[in-house]
Amino acid sequence: MTTSSPRPGAASTTRVDGPSGALRGVVRVPGDKSISHRALILGALAQGRSRLTGMNLGRDVLATAAVLGRLGASVHLTEPQVQVDVEGWGERGPHEPDDVLDAANSGTTLRCLLGVCARATGAFTFTGDGSLRQRPMARVVSPLRAMGARIDGRAQGSLLPLTVRGSSLTGLAHTLPIASAQVKTALLLAGLGAAGSTSVTEPRPSRDHTERMLVASGVPVGRRALTATVAGGGKVSPGARRIPGDLSSAAFVLAAAILVPGSDVVVPEVGINPTRAGFLRVLAAMGADIEVEPAGEWGGEPVGTVRARSSALRGVAVHAEEVPALIDELPILAVVATRAAGQTLFRGAGELRVKESDRIATMAAGLSDLGAEVEALPDGLSIRGPTPLRPAEVDSLGDHRVAMSLAVAGLIADGPVTVRGWDGVDTSFPGFLTTLGALRSGGSSGSRP
Ligand code: S3P
């Protein structure tokens, strides 16, 4: 496997030389990105010090840490232990910053912190990179406005840059048209500073880290069917938190193990929250040899060891109900589907079009360049397998999950696959190539506490 940056400033590329020999070993993956964002934000809201271990140190989480720092939280990182101490602003609330807040590539940073700033004192202007500046924000801006938030920005406040002027909010009962954990989190965090109660109802369950982590931090959250409710005035307590490995990152190594003949890979201490584990359920339905051994809970989050071995696969149909629990894993599942017998169909996944890239279009283009039989649908993908994959140069458009998915495709291709836009991978999984390399030599890797 070689990584090359053709010239300074140019998008980097990685070449994966398939077909790969068996992948074997035990690997740890970086801390869960969604939980890391929330742990930092809850630490900032609390009065006092929180010690967070196993933090994800990808660019997205670092963007949250930097914004929280500008807002007056003290965030100290001890890199070798992936440990972060956060001293929150508590009752004082965030400072009014003296500059624009940059959420970089991170929708979670932006949407969650809009909810926090909506109830603060001062003006807060957010921007982000070229991808985030194209992503839809009306879904979070309109319900926050309905709570009394003053938000203005480009395209009537539906696109970055956005300015929030903190104000007093009133609780709201809001029904989301599309399941979104980011929007749900923004509303619940705004609701903690609003008069009365705030409830969010979703059409299907999205990841529930915020609800679990609020409860673990001493804030009661009412949960009934698809509705989560908080009362205004809830105080977040500081505390120690251990962050499990990210199942969304583990997905790439587990999928690689399933696809590459003779492989056997174990990922310990990874989050297996059912609202995130749709990937494991779909792999099992495809006939994959995948085992999950639960190992208790860390701060309300289920954790376990996942083992995957190379397997013969059959195509499956994945429908809208299951999509929120595997939305970030659909690109890698699309690669897995190229090896499954028959048709694999992903429907009800139109949200993929508004992620870091239009993941339906990017994956369809990448897989078809590799010779897969793939069709882009308005709300998903149809893939027929098994098809051999051929050597090619493919473009991830800088989207981290697309880049890693196409690199895994390279492991089963008949020759080298070059992935453009590789530097996006540091968004969520710094060290991805080292982890894959360790498995290729049958070792172990990853150093999480
Ligand atoms: C996330 C929620 C999901 C997911 C994203 C992270 C989160 O987006 O795709 O990568 O941490 O809350 P939605 O808010 O659209 O569900």
Side-chain angles (χ1 to χ4, degrees), residues 33 60 103-111 129-140 154 157-160 162 180 182 328 351-359 399-400 427:
K33 181 160 82 70
D60 269 16
N105 190 239
S106 174
T108 309
T109 307
L110 175 72
R111 293 190 177 120
D129 71 4
S131 153
L132 195 59
R133 291 200 307 273
Q134 288 177 46
R135 293 178 66 187
M137 296 303 151
R139 56 183 62 196
V140 61
R154 191 159 60 105
S158 63
L159 291 171
L160 285 177
L162 291 171
S180 166
Q182 294 173 355
D328 292 342
E351 275 296 287
L352 285 180
R353 293 209 178 264
V354 290
K355 294 293 179 187
E356 286 84 328
S357 69
D358 173 345
R359 287 180 174 162
D399 181 326
H400 55 131
T427 296

Side-chain angles (χ1 to χ4, degrees), residues 20 89 227 285 298 366:
S20 170
W89 53 63
T227 303
W298 295 359

Side-chain angles (χ1 to χ4, degrees), residues 32-35 37-38 60 107-109 111-112 135 139 178-185 202 206-207 209-210 248 276 324 326-329 351-352 354-356 359 400-401:
D32 188 284
K33 181 160 82 70
S34 291
I35 295 177
H37 284 294
R38 287 159 172 80
D60 269 16
T108 309
T109 307
R111 293 190 177 120
C112 297
R135 293 178 66 187
R139 56 183 62 196
I178 302 168
S180 166
Q182 294 173 355
V183 178
K184 174 175 63 177
T185 302
E202 300 187 278
S206 68
R207 63 195 65 193
H209 304 305
T210 303
S248 297
R276 291 283 296 282
L326 49 69
I327 185 76
D328 292 342
E329 290 65 67
E351 275 296 287
L352 285 180
V354 290
K355 294 293 179 187
E356 286 84 328
R359 287 180 174 162
H400 55 131
R401 300 204 198 280

Side-chain angles (χ1 to χ4, degrees), residues 29-36 53-57 61 82 243-247 249 428 448:
V29 291
D32 188 284
K33 181 160 82 70
S34 291
I35 295 177
S36 295
T53 45
M55 180 71 72
N56 181 300
L57 296 181
V61 175
V82 206
I243 296 164
D246 197 327
L247 184 59
S249 296
S428 61
R448 291 170 23 78

